[in-house]
Amino acid sequence: MGNFLRKDLLVLLRDRTELMILLLMPILLIVILSFALRGILGGDTSDFHMDVAFVIEDDEEQGVIDFIEDLETMGMPPEVMMELERVVEEVKPYTMLEDLMNNESVSNMVTVEELDFSEAEEALKNEDVTAILLIPEDFTYHSLKKMLLNEGDGSELKMTVKDYSSIRTDVFLSIVNRYVNTVNFETAISQALIDLGHGDVLADRAEGEVMEAREFGGVESISAREPITSFQYYTVSMAVMFVLFVGATIASKAYVEKKQHVFNRIILSNRHPIVYLGGKMISASVISFLQLIILFLVSTLAFRTFPLDEPAFWGGIAIIAIILAICVGGFASLLTALTVKYENDALNHIFSGGIVTLLALVGGSFFPTSEMPEIIGTIGNWTPNGAALTAFLKWMQELDMTTILPYLIRIVALAAILIISSILIFPKRRSL
């Protein structure tokens, strides 16, 4: 097997056209698609829109009243009281969020609908809304105390999404983060004005308040990590797409070997035909794994797409890559069996020219299946590249092997079917 692997690696390394297709082309597409998406997020939103649900459990006016009542019981000097009451009117947290959502650049993209929590959950389940943003009870009161008095634990926004790999999810989270940054900025300015106007009255608190204000407005998502970025998504989607080309490439080499009687010489050397077939499968699997790892590492080093210092993260990536590579090896063995049996290279061209494109389309390589009809996403998750794409994205979000196990089982099952089929089809020694 080792000799077969060495031979296939050397043959592939000498074929610059195939190397460009397998390595250079996906890297170029990652850059182009990622920056194109980044451009859309940067301002071209004419055809981009989403509906989000706001669940408002807070009473802003009552929160302001409660905060001012607390100030009155603290025995502060009148001038400090007046200044703080003025600041409160300028930095009402929910009012600032409303102002942001009503901004023309945001309102062109986002339509906000106020619902109670049960209605919002149902809308999210039915995909009528992209996300739910919960403004919890006493949000205003606790936020003002943390922002201006550095008391209590503050408050937080809670965002719930259904599809964390969706482009719209990424956009909405960016908008919420913009709001958080604005609040932090307004808080810092307000505290600085209070300090300048009243000497040392609040000087002992100012620095702590500005730093602690960054805790305000935290966003909780249903996933454990940050949403998928465009570079992450297209690195994975292009990797799982182009890895399929390895199967056709290896099978095409088998056709050349058959025509040049290399295959016959191998059989005359008293090697069993199945050993040759197994060599093709192993070669395709190893080359596929190397291709996947190279693409991930190049994207990480060039664009800082993935963290380099998380062994657990890379361990999961390697496991998914190995399983997908074995499945590609199954494709290579089946195509090799058909190529040798019928001595025809047409099927390899059909596979690389049409079938891979179709699998990439339904598997989500060109754009997320969340943007397509649900049936497409369901079918895509049963394709090897689609299941691998979902597994990669879920692993990047949750680092939980149990959540990706169903997708890995699908890939393994398909690989077994492909390998068994290729063994049954591959001509036996007596039929060669």
Side-chain angles (χ1 to χ4, degrees), residues 32-52:
I32 292 170
L33 292 173
S34 298
F35 276 112
L37 178 61
R38 193 174 180 181
I40 291 175
L41 297 183
D44 185 8
T45 61
S46 57
D47 296 320
F48 190 90
H49 193 272
M50 75 188 83
D51 295 309
V52 298

Side-chain angles (χ1 to χ4, degrees), residues 49 103 157 171 213 252 298 306 346 397:
H49 193 272
N103 181 278
L157 300 173
V171 171
S252 291
V298 169
F306 306 106
Q397 284 288 309

Side-chain angles (χ1 to χ4, degrees), residues 143-402:
S143 299
L144 289 175
K145 287 191 69 173
K146 187 66 175 179
M147 292 164 64
L148 300 179
L149 301 178
N150 195 26
E151 294 182 358
D153 297 324
S155 188
E156 61 188 4
L157 300 173
K158 296 182 179 180
M159 191 171 89
T160 306
V161 299
K162 183 176 182 180
D163 183 2
Y164 49 75
S165 64
S166 168
I167 300 172
R168 288 177 170 80
T169 297
D170 196 12
V171 171
F172 186 60
L173 183 64
S174 298
I175 293 172
V176 175
N177 282 334
R178 174 181 168 185
Y179 161 68
V180 172
N181 294 333
T182 301
V183 170
N184 291 336
F185 180 70
E186 293 286 350
T187 300
I189 290 180
S190 298
Q191 291 169 355
L193 289 174
I194 292 173
D195 260 353
L196 290 174
H198 301 287
D200 296 329
V201 175
L202 298 177
D204 59 335
R205 297 177 179 171
E207 182 178 355
E209 288 171 5
V210 175
M211 297 299 292
E212 291 294 331
R214 293 174 183 168
E215 299 178 7
F216 164 75
V219 178
E220 290 188 355
S221 174
I222 57 174
S223 57
R225 300 166 71 88
E226 292 296 317
I228 303 299
T229 66
S230 60
F231 271 100
Q232 289 174 333
Y233 184 86
Y234 282 110
T235 295
V236 176
S237 65
M238 291 298 104
V240 299
M241 171 184 170
F242 277 87
V243 77
L244 297 176
F245 287 106
V246 174
T249 299
I250 295 299
S252 291
K253 302 302 180 186
Y255 173 75
V256 174
E257 291 169 353
K258 179 71 173 177
K259 296 295 289 184
Q260 295 179 349
H261 306 293
V262 175
F263 176 72
N264 291 334
R265 289 196 292 271
I266 292 173
I267 299 303
L268 289 174
S269 67
N270 204 29
R271 293 293 185 94
H272 195 282
I274 296 301
V275 175
Y276 175 81
L277 182 65
K280 291 297 181 184
M281 188 201 73
I282 292 175
S283 296
S285 298
V286 171
I287 292 171
S288 298
F289 178 75
L290 292 175
Q291 180 196 31
L292 289 168
I293 295 303
I294 288 172
L295 290 177
F296 273 85
L297 288 177
V298 169
S299 179
T300 299
L301 294 174
F303 311 114
R304 299 181 181 180
T305 309
F306 306 106
L308 278 173
D309 57 349
E310 294 189 17
F313 170 82
W314 287 102
I317 293 294
I319 290 173
I320 301 171
I322 289 171
I323 292 174
L324 178 59
I326 293 173
C327 188
V328 174
F331 274 113
S333 62
L334 179 60
L335 291 170
T336 298
L338 293 169
T339 298
V340 173
K341 183 178 179 66
Y342 297 107
E343 296 189 21
N344 195 319
D345 197 31
L347 184 59
N348 296 320
H349 294 294
I350 293 173
F351 181 81
S352 60
I355 296 177
V356 170
T357 302
L358 182 60
L359 291 174
L361 177 64
V362 299
S365 288
F366 299 129
F367 44 84
T369 54
S370 60
E371 310 302 321
M372 295 187 286
E374 185 177 355
I375 184 65
I376 300 296
T378 301
I379 295 173
N381 280 330
W382 282 93
T383 63
N385 55 303
L389 175 60
T390 302
F392 276 123
L393 296 179
K394 284 184 175 291
W395 176 255
M396 288 157 55
Q397 284 288 309
E398 303 177 32
L399 297 183
D400 184 359
M401 194 60 66
T402 59

Side-chain angles (χ1 to χ4, degrees), residues 20-150:
M20 288 180 64
I21 292 175
L22 297 179
L23 292 177
L24 184 59
M25 185 66 72
I27 292 173
L28 289 175
L29 286 175
I30 289 169
V31 175
I32 292 170
L33 292 173
S34 298
F35 276 112
L37 178 61
R38 193 174 180 181
I40 291 175
L41 297 183
D44 185 8
T45 61
S46 57
D47 296 320
F48 190 90
H49 193 272
M50 75 188 83
D51 295 309
V52 298
F54 273 29
V55 178
I56 306 171
E57 298 179 350
D58 179 53
D59 185 339
E60 185 176 61
E61 293 305 319
Q62 185 61 47
V64 171
I65 292 172
D66 293 341
F67 178 72
I68 292 176
E69 288 178 352
D70 282 358
L71 293 180
E72 292 172 350
T73 62
M74 294 175 66
M76 288 187 174
E79 64 273 15
V80 176
M81 280 286 300
M82 291 178 60
E83 189 65 32
L84 284 174
E85 288 179 14
R86 186 188 65 80
V87 170
V88 167
E89 292 300 319
E90 294 179 357
V91 296
K92 290 180 182 178
Y94 183 68
T95 296
M96 293 176 67
L97 179 59
E98 279 188 318
D99 291 341
L100 176 60
M101 291 298 166
N102 291 329
N103 181 278
E104 183 178 357
S105 62
V106 176
S107 61
N108 288 337
M109 288 189 295
V110 182
T111 297
V112 175
E113 186 176 1
E114 295 184 11
L115 303 172
D116 62 40
F117 193 73
S118 60
E119 292 174 335
E121 281 190 319
E122 185 66 23
L124 184 63
K125 180 180 178 181
N126 296 332
E127 298 185 358
D128 295 329
V129 297
T130 300
I132 300 172
L133 189 66
L134 173 66
I135 293 85
E137 188 177 0
D138 294 328
F139 172 75
T140 299
Y141 173 71
H142 291 304
S143 299
L144 289 175
K145 287 191 69 173
K146 187 66 175 179
M147 292 164 64
L148 300 179
L149 301 178
N150 195 26

Side-chain angles (χ1 to χ4, degrees), residues 319-320 323 387 391 394-395 400-412:
I319 290 173
I320 301 171
I323 292 174
K394 284 184 175 291
W395 176 255
D400 184 359
M401 194 60 66
T402 59
T403 62
I404 66 174
L405 191 58
Y407 302 97
L408 300 184
I409 292 174
R410 295 176 190 179
I411 301 173
V412 170

